[in-house]
Amino acid sequence: MYAMDNPFDGKAVLIIGAGLLQIPAIKRARELGLHTIATDYNPEAPGLDLADDRIIISTRDVDGTVRKARQYARTRRRIDGVLTVGTDASMTVAAVANALDLPGIKFSNAEAASNKLKMRARFREHGVPIPEFFECWTEEEALAHFRELACPAVIKPADNMGARGVSLAVTEEEVRRAFTFAKAASPSGEVIIEEYMEGPELSIDALVYRSEVHITGIADRIIDAPPYFVETGHIMPSALPAAQLDDAVRVMRAGIKALGITMGAAKGDIKVTPQGAKVGEIAARLSGGFMSAYTYPYATGVDLIGNAVRIALGLPPQELDPRHDRVAMEGALIPGPGRVRAISGIDRALALPGVRHVFINVAIGDTLVVPRSNVEKAGHVIVEAADRETAIGLVEESRRLILFELEQQG
């Protein structure tokens, strides 16, 4: 895929995070011939053993990661690029890039892409379509703004990801419940209440090189479990009409510009409402949820992760045109509450033609709950097929075959 004169020889890349969603980036960087350094607070993180070097520190510890990166660059070897995939660490990535004079975005822009209040302020300033929103620190403020909105509202923490602390409220009693839920999930205590947007939701990935935006994937998100917003899967390409997709891409591009994402990647949650596309949020990174590393490459044949690594090193992306037209889907495994006694059927699911991966997030003895966010699911199935109906059928059959034997509490 890349030229014989390898531009990666002798270079090193720092990857923030070493969990399941960062493993593809670590593996791809090594395949390209890069020296890899991975960070994670958990010394047992699976990606650490795959990297050439490890740094044990939280992905959210911005100052600590900068200190560790500087020390590594001073005492070990030069770091030539820094990136993350699928985790909310764009401020850490930007801080390291700024400190070591690496390709990246300004820290203030990464902060705006991480804090939903600052993000919405940017969007409002630049005329990017968004729902009406208010900041609220107390339950009384939330109730007052709910009355002002006079419609169903979504209440969420300003500074968390993965749908943690996010829920819908249609009555004042539900506002009280939702505010408490959001407040508990907010590291800063900042909470947002905003109008609920009707309509389907899209996940959009983009690569950005020197302010040029390359849209690299659009998927239909499958959201369930009201009053919460749990993504039970996604499928790509999207089945929405071209005019709605074009409108969503237009809004995504406007949001990227407003946030000052000029180098790196962007992941958007875009709602297609009766009033037109509106931004739910845009992060300064590639998507999690297995989209950037699995479903998009399977659907198109494009090496998205490899191109993100290129941009992190200051190199332009290449070969972004799809090489084939397939359908790929991720489906969550959500068996219900209880203590896990046994898991079976994984091999039978993997034997189905088109089932590419089964990821299990839990172990025997773990206690499962009914998910209220995207981090509480028991596992995931990744499939590839020639058409949408076949892909959906493969996920449904895999869910039938993979059995979680649960012991009910009490």
Side-chain angles (χ1 to χ4, degrees):
M1 179 174 290
Y2 298 104
M4 293 297 292
D5 183 15
N6 190 345
F8 309 108
D9 281 346
K11 293 187 177 181
V13 63
L14 176 66
I15 297 167
I16 305 300
L20 180 62
L21 295 179
Q22 292 81 53
I23 284 177
I26 297 170
K27 286 183 174 180
R28 188 69 186 113
R30 292 201 67 182
E31 289 169 357
L32 293 170
L34 289 159
H35 186 89
T36 55
I37 312 110
T39 77
D40 206 286
Y41 81 99
N42 177 14
E44 303 300 320
L48 292 177
D49 288 338
L50 301 174
D52 296 294
D53 288 319
R54 61 172 63 192
I55 297 175
I56 306 302
I57 193 165
S58 170
T59 58
R60 292 192 174 216
D61 187 344
V62 175
D63 293 339
T65 303
V66 169
R67 287 195 301 272
K68 294 280 190 178
R70 278 177 163 163
Q71 181 184 26
Y72 183 95
R74 185 175 62 251
T75 61
R76 302 285 298 277
R77 62 181 296 159
R78 172 182 167 82
I79 295 174
D80 299 283
V82 57
L83 78 156
T84 193
V85 177
T87 189
D88 196 12
S90 56
M91 287 195 298
T92 305
V93 170
V96 171
N98 294 173
L100 298 184
D101 195 24
L102 304 175
I105 63 175
K106 294 180 180 178
F107 181 82
S108 58
N109 292 337
E111 187 176 29
S114 302
N115 182 287
K116 294 178 178 63
L117 282 168
K118 294 180 180 180
M119 182 187 301
R120 280 156 176 70
R122 286 278 190 98
F123 292 157
R124 178 181 282 173
E125 177 186 351
H126 289 82
V128 179
I130 54 173
E132 185 63 38
F133 74 97
F134 300 96
E135 175 183 10
C136 51
W137 289 90
T138 67
E139 184 179 288
E140 290 72 23
E141 288 178 335
L143 287 166
H145 292 314
F146 176 73
R147 295 171 191 132
E148 189 173 351
L149 287 171
C151 64
V154 179
I155 302 177
K156 62 182 68 174
D159 47 358
N160 215 325
M161 62 172 289
R164 295 177 180 90
V166 183
S167 62
L168 176 70
V170 296
T171 68
E172 292 195 0
E173 185 57 37
E174 290 176 356
V175 170
R176 294 185 178 92
R177 182 265 310 156
F179 178 82
T180 300
F181 183 56
K183 192 80 167 180
S186 173
S188 67
E190 291 180 295
V191 172
I192 290 176
I193 182 169
E194 64 185 26
E195 64 173 314
Y196 171 68
M197 296 182 286
E198 293 281 356
E201 185 167 338
L202 299 170
S203 282
I204 302 182
D205 262 330
L207 293 175
V208 189
Y209 180 75
R210 295 183 178 178
S211 299
E212 183 179 0
V213 177
H214 304 270
I215 301 299
T216 56
I218 306 176
D220 292 325
R221 300 186 79 195
I222 305 167
I223 307 296
D224 206 346
Y228 309 105
F229 295 86
V230 178
E231 182 175 353
T232 58
H234 73 265
I235 186 168
M236 62 191 317
S238 171
L240 291 183
Q244 291 183 324
L245 296 179
D246 289 345
D247 189 37
V249 167
R250 176 188 63 81
V251 169
M252 174 76 172
R253 289 180 180 275
I256 290 171
K257 184 176 181 181
L259 291 173
I261 302 174
T262 56
M263 195 78 168
K267 187 266 183 181
D269 296 336
I270 310 296
K271 289 283 284 189
V272 180
T273 79
Q275 297 77 38
K278 296 183 181 182
V279 176
E281 62 181 76
I282 294 176
R285 56 169 173 81
L286 282 178
S287 60
F290 303 93
M291 178 173 160
S292 62
Y294 294 95
T295 54
Y296 182 71
Y298 289 146
T300 65
V302 173
D303 180 15
L304 188 54
I305 297 294
N307 276 295
V309 172
R310 288 181 63 87
I311 293 174
L313 296 167
L315 301 170
Q318 60 182 34
E319 299 184 14
L320 292 178
D321 292 333
R323 293 188 290 170
H324 56 244
D325 184 14
R326 303 279 289 173
V327 175
M329 182 176 180
E330 177 268 331
L333 300 174
I334 304 175
R339 183 174 176 271
V340 180
R341 295 182 59 180
I343 304 171
S344 62
I346 297 172
D347 290 341
R348 287 184 293 167
L350 287 170
L352 295 173
V355 175
R356 302 296 297 263
H357 302 277
V358 174
F359 296 104
I360 302 298
N361 302 334
V362 298
I364 305 302
D366 288 349
T367 298
L368 304 182
V369 299
V370 176
R372 298 188 297 176
S373 74
N374 292 332
V375 297
E376 296 173 313
K377 293 173 279 194
H380 311 266
V381 176
I382 312 293
V383 307
E384 174 192 345
D387 57 76
R388 193 177 182 94
E389 183 180 358
T390 303
I392 293 171
L394 281 170
V395 169
E396 291 176 348
E397 180 65 7
S398 297
R399 286 171 171 158
R400 188 186 69 81
L401 291 173
I402 300 170
L403 303 178
F404 292 79
E405 183 181 339
L406 303 178
E407 179 181 18
Q408 297 300 312
Q409 300 288 299

